[in-house]
Amino acid sequence: MDEVSQRPEISPSQGTGVDWAALEAAAVSAMKNAYAPYSKFAVGAAALTSDGRIVSGCNVENASYGLTLCAECSLVGNLHMTGGGLLRAFYCVDAGGNILMPCGRCRQLLYEFRAPDMELMTTQGIKTMDQVLPDAFGPQHLEEPR
């Protein structure tokens, strides 16, 4: 890893068929639309869907703070607004273009909409959803409707 930028060394697809550079660019572009007047902490996220689309989102703050939407929330909204599907790969950045890890709430949100073997770019390189949210609770644990 490059000591100066704290960015993992990766090739564009790193053998997974994911264009990580395109996801990074989409996350940076989304971050520029963030509404962060209170924290001044703009965040952008982008994901590759299982059908090859790139969806993105940015954080949208609220004066009550608790109603703030993380970038992952608007990304999932974008996913559903553009046809639904499952997320195959994910990338999140701050205003400086630094890689961010989703918070616990957002990891759970991403887990709900993940494709099998979904990957995330992390400060430590590419990891699977199972690595960043092991033993997760999901829809498969709920009782079948009667």
Side-chain angles (χ1 to χ4, degrees), residues 35-79:
Y35 177 72
Y38 309 109
S39 72
K40 310 287 190 253
F41 193 76
V43 177
L48 177 66
T49 66
S50 55
D51 65 2
R53 292 174 293 127
I54 292 180
V55 294
S56 61
C58 62
N59 60 323
V60 179
E61 293 183 346
N62 185 278
S64 71
Y65 293 106
L67 295 179
T68 292
L69 298 175
C70 295
E72 295 86 346
C73 295
S74 60
L75 181 146
V76 168
N78 185 344
L79 173 69

Side-chain angles (χ1 to χ4, degrees), residues 3-39:
E3 298 274 326
V4 176
S5 67
Q6 297 298 309
R7 299 176 83 69
E9 295 294 325
I10 59 162
S11 65
S13 68
Q14 195 144 353
T16 64
V18 173
D19 185 346
W20 292 102
L23 283 181
E24 177 183 20
V28 168
S29 180
M31 175 273 303
K32 292 176 182 174
N33 293 306
Y35 177 72
Y38 309 109
S39 72

Side-chain angles (χ1 to χ4, degrees), residues 104 107-111 128-137:
R107 289 181 199 196
Q108 183 66 40
L109 181 66
L110 293 171
Y111 179 84
T128 66
M129 178 53 78
D130 291 336
Q131 289 173 308
V132 299
L133 191 63
D135 301 321
F137 179 86

Side-chain angles (χ1 to χ4, degrees), residues 101 107 111 114 117-122 124-136:
M101 281 297 294
R107 289 181 199 196
Y111 179 84
R114 81 202 182 292
D117 300 322
M118 178 185 169
E119 298 175 308
L120 297 85
M121 178 56 68
T122 77
Q124 304 300 308
I126 298 166
K127 295 189 177 196
T128 66
M129 178 53 78
D130 291 336
Q131 289 173 308
V132 299
L133 191 63
D135 301 321

